[in-house]
Amino acid sequence: MKNADTIPDVLKKLASLLGTEIKQRKLEIPSQFGKGYCTGFIFNDHIRMLISNYELNEDIIIENPDRNTAKRMLFFKFQNIFPDTLSGKKMTREVPSVLIATSRINTDDVISIHSNKSTINIEVDADYLKGLFLLSDQSPVLKSLLQNSQPYLFEQMIYPSLQETVEEIVSQPSDEIFELFFMRIKAEELICRLLMELEKRDEKRLYALNSHDIQTIYKVKDQILQHLDVPPVIGELASQAGMSPTKLKRLFRQIFGDSIFSYYQGFRMKEAALLLQAKKYSVSEVGYRLGFTNLSHFSKLFKEHMGMKPKQYAMM
């Protein structure tokens, strides 16, 4: 492939709108529009990747010219994966995660150019993936995803070894001769590791989603995470969401791979760890801030999630 053929058209269109050029596959955002960069790769007919780490003064919305409705593409959107070097701060409270969507989801709601900052987006043909390994009947989640016949969305937290692969993609200096090859291998490694995680999910049946359901579940998630000192009450959340408790619990677990309360408790402990790392509060103050009245219970839960008691963690 010629070098120009390996650069996504959406990147070329963005460069044209900003009145700039793509140099060595990289688009630097002109200072009058913002700051940062965007780079992209077309590896072959089956897989492509866009890396974005920028801030724009105003949103720019572009219709994706690379979208091929004839193919059954899967979308992987890695988010909160960069240190916030653009503003000089490190994004510690935003947990790195991946959105995984089938082509039946309106991808403009999931992956749009104006919300691409600090993300890696990978598109891959589901039929291409299916041909790479034996499809087990033991994993309804994985099977349904690769069949790509219904609108599904999953979110998966990024664990440390996966983050290391992401950092290799972002920071690995590779010779131009090997760049395309190196990046394709790493992109496929990310996808493989994610599918291995999704296969572990134990849902026996999946339910087709629509944009309204997805937006509602994410509003519920945001509400839970904004009030970590208050345990979620399913009936109240369901009433506010306009869903039955059964549907709310079912769709939440399907998207996030965890129950509402377990998801809440995990983030509650992550917040406790961040507060202890900051060394501004004592262990008891952290416990009370997160709604614990029984500090021994707080200590027990923290150890279950973090592997050590909060006092030990605070001394690290």
Side-chain angles (χ1 to χ4, degrees):
M1 296 176 74
K2 296 180 181 178
N3 189 56
D5 296 334
T6 65
I7 298 174
D9 287 338
V10 68
L11 195 59
K12 298 174 186 176
K13 195 168 183 179
L14 179 59
S16 177
L17 282 173
L18 298 178
T20 189
E21 295 180 358
I22 299 170
K23 298 180 180 178
Q24 295 182 327
R25 199 183 293 281
K26 196 171 188 180
L27 188 165
E28 296 282 355
I29 304 297
S31 58
Q32 66 266 36
F33 295 103
K35 53 189 173 182
Y37 71 91
C38 191
T39 184
F41 306 84
I42 297 176
F43 301 117
N44 51 44
D45 290 339
H46 312 296
I47 182 169
R48 64 185 65 217
M49 178 168 68
L50 193 69
I51 303 172
S52 305
N53 186 21
Y54 58 73
E55 288 181 2
L56 296 177
N57 299 331
E58 295 182 6
D59 285 348
I60 297 176
I61 301 175
I62 300 175
E63 184 177 340
N64 189 352
D66 297 312
R67 187 176 181 186
N68 185 345
T69 55
K71 287 193 173 184
R72 298 184 307 117
M73 305 299 287
L74 297 175
F75 300 87
F76 297 78
K77 180 178 180 179
F78 296 77
Q79 52 192 7
N80 305 321
I81 53 174
F82 293 91
D84 192 4
T85 53
L86 296 177
S87 62
K89 300 180 293 183
K90 188 173 175 63
M91 291 164 40
T92 53
R93 292 180 183 273
E94 297 290 346
V95 177
S97 66
V98 192
L99 294 180
I100 305 159
T102 65
S103 57
R104 300 293 188 251
I105 293 286
N106 183 351
T107 54
D108 290 338
D109 293 338
V110 181
I111 302 171
S112 50
I113 197 70
H114 61 287
S115 62
N116 269 350
K117 58 185 181 180
S118 303
T119 64
I120 294 178
N121 290 327
I122 302 174
E123 295 179 42
V124 60
D125 186 349
D127 291 326
Y128 170 68
L129 276 183
K130 283 171 65 177
L132 295 179
F133 52 85
L134 293 173
L135 189 56
S136 170
D137 290 333
Q138 303 305 312
S139 174
V141 172
L142 187 55
K143 190 173 182 178
S144 298
L145 181 67
L146 294 178
Q147 284 176 342
N148 199 354
S149 59
Q150 294 291 332
Y152 295 124
L153 174 73
F154 306 99
E155 182 168 334
Q156 180 70 39
M157 295 298 134
I158 296 179
Y159 48 89
S161 62
L162 200 65
Q163 180 70 39
E164 289 175 11
T165 305
V166 169
E167 289 171 359
E168 285 182 322
I169 286 176
V170 174
S171 61
Q172 179 70 33
S174 55
D175 188 291
E176 189 176 352
I177 296 173
F178 299 104
E179 184 179 35
L180 205 65
F181 184 33
F182 177 85
M183 289 296 190
R184 180 179 64 80
I185 291 172
K186 289 301 172 182
E188 291 189 344
E189 179 183 349
L190 284 178
I191 292 169
C192 181
R193 287 177 176 271
L194 281 169
L195 295 180
M196 290 167 69
E197 287 301 306
L198 284 176
E199 189 186 27
K200 298 174 184 176
R201 296 196 179 187
D202 58 2
E203 285 90 345
K204 301 304 179 187
R205 181 184 174 189
L206 294 181
Y207 297 85
L209 300 172
N210 57 53
S211 295
H212 179 264
D213 284 343
I214 293 171
Q215 291 168 3
T216 299
I217 295 298
Y218 270 85
K219 284 178 183 176
V220 168
K221 184 203 80 166
D222 290 342
Q223 184 175 346
I224 291 169
L225 299 187
Q226 287 169 10
H227 304 283
L228 289 173
D229 58 327
V230 182
V233 178
I234 302 298
E236 293 178 3
L237 292 174
S239 177
Q240 293 166 9
M243 288 182 177
S244 69
T246 300
K247 181 177 180 180
L248 174 63
K249 290 188 291 183
R250 184 179 67 207
L251 294 188
F252 192 98
R253 177 180 282 277
Q254 179 171 310
I255 290 175
F256 298 107
D258 208 349
S259 70
I260 290 175
F261 190 77
S262 179
Y263 188 88
Y264 155 78
Q265 204 72 284
F267 271 87
R268 199 182 188 193
M269 293 303 101
K270 287 184 176 74
E271 179 68 11
L274 287 171
L275 292 172
L276 291 171
Q277 280 179 344
K279 301 187 184 302
K280 293 181 181 180
Y281 308 100
S282 67
V283 170
S284 58
E285 287 173 329
V286 169
Y288 291 135
R289 283 175 67 91
L290 290 173
F292 287 94
T293 54
N294 184 331
L295 292 180
S296 63
H297 180 54
F298 167 55
S299 181
K300 180 184 176 183
L301 277 176
F302 190 90
K303 186 176 181 181
E304 288 176 1
H305 283 81
M306 308 304 296
M308 64 181 73
K309 291 185 177 181
K311 282 187 178 180
Q312 294 173 293
Y313 194 89
M315 295 172 63
M316 290 175 60

